[in-house]
Amino acid sequence: SLNLSRSTGDSAENVAENTARMLAALDLRREQTVSAWLNHGTAVAVVKAEHKGVALRDVDALITDEPDVFLSMRFADCAPVVLYDSAHGALGVVHAGWPGVAANIVAVALREMTLAFGSHPVDVWAGIGPTIRVCCYQFGIDLVEKITAACPPGTQLTQPQPDGTIHLDLVAAIVAQLVAVGVSNIEDAGICTACRVDEWFSHRVEKKTGRFGMVVGRRVE
C-alpha cells in the first residue's frame, strides 16, 4: 500500500522499505531529505543542509532556500500545500489540516519565508495536493465558525447537505487565505482523498489507515 507512516500500526521495516521505494523513484536517498513529526499547529522550521536525514518534531511546515535539500511530509486527508518562490529559489511544504487552517498556517509559512529568504507573495506559486474535499467533509458548525474567522469576510466555506449536515470546503479556505496575503498563482490538484481511497489514504473514511508522502526540493543539475 506504500504507507509511509510508523504511527499507524505498520511495521518499521515496511515503512522503511516503502520510504526507500518512494525516494528511489525520485532518484533520492533518505540522507537527502528532511521530514517532520506533525502536530496540527503552526510551527515552521527553516531547514538547512545540516538537517538532512533528520525528522523535526512538532512542526507543520518546512521551508528552505538551499538546493538539494528535499522536504518530506505525510498526509491522509489534510491538505498538502507546496509554496515555491521562483525569485529566490525558496520553497516549502505545509500540512494544512483544519486546525492549521483555523490558525492560518499558510500565511504563517509565507511570513516565515519572507523573514528568512526575502520572499514576496507575488513571486510565490502555491500548489494544493490531494485532500478531502467538500463533497465528503462533514463538519461541525462550531468548528466551521473558527475557520470562517480565519478567512476574509464573505468566503463561502460550507455546503449544506440534504440530510441537514454541513460539509466544509477546506480548499476554499486555503485559497482564500493565500489570496488574502497576495498569492495569486494557485494550482489545485482537484483530487479528493475520501473519494479515491483506491489511490490515496483517507483517515476520515478508513479510520485506521496509512499516510501518503510528498517530497519537494530544488535539484542542482
Side-chain angles (χ1 to χ4, degrees), residues 104-129:
N104 209 341
I105 188 172
V106 291
V108 174
L110 283 162
R111 182 186 67 211
E112 293 303 315
M113 288 178 68
T114 298
L115 293 173
F117 315 128
S119 298
H120 298 288
V122 69
D123 297 319
V124 172
W125 171 88
I128 302 171

Side-chain angles (χ1 to χ4, degrees), residues 4-24:
L4 301 175
S5 173
R6 289 183 293 174
S7 64
T8 60
D10 205 347
S11 72
E13 293 78 11
N14 285 349
V15 174
E17 175 62 22
N18 289 337
T19 301
R21 291 182 183 187
M22 175 189 69
L23 294 176

Side-chain angles (χ1 to χ4, degrees), residues 23-37:
L23 294 176
L26 302 171
D27 194 25
L28 295 173
R29 303 181 312 280
R30 183 180 177 277
E31 294 75 22
Q32 296 173 275
T33 67
V34 181
S35 60
W37 289 91

Side-chain angles (χ1 to χ4, degrees), residues 81-84 110 124-128 174 178 183-188:
V81 181
V82 178
L83 304 171
Y84 177 59
L110 283 162
V124 172
W125 171 88
I128 302 171
I174 294 168
L178 287 166
V183 177
S184 60
N185 190 4
I186 303 169
E187 187 172 348
D188 177 17

Side-chain angles (χ1 to χ4, degrees), residues 7 36-44 56-61 73-79 94-105 131-132 137 139 170 203 211:
S7 64
W37 289 91
L38 307 173
N39 192 41
H40 285 286
T42 58
V44 180
L56 301 175
R57 289 193 170 271
D58 298 330
V59 297
D60 284 82
M73 205 170 278
R74 293 165 294 278
F75 301 87
D77 280 339
C78 296
V94 181
H95 170 247
W98 78 258
V101 174
N104 209 341
I105 188 172
T131 182
I132 192 167
Y137 204 8
F139 216 71
L170 190 69
H203 177 72
R211 301 292 185 269

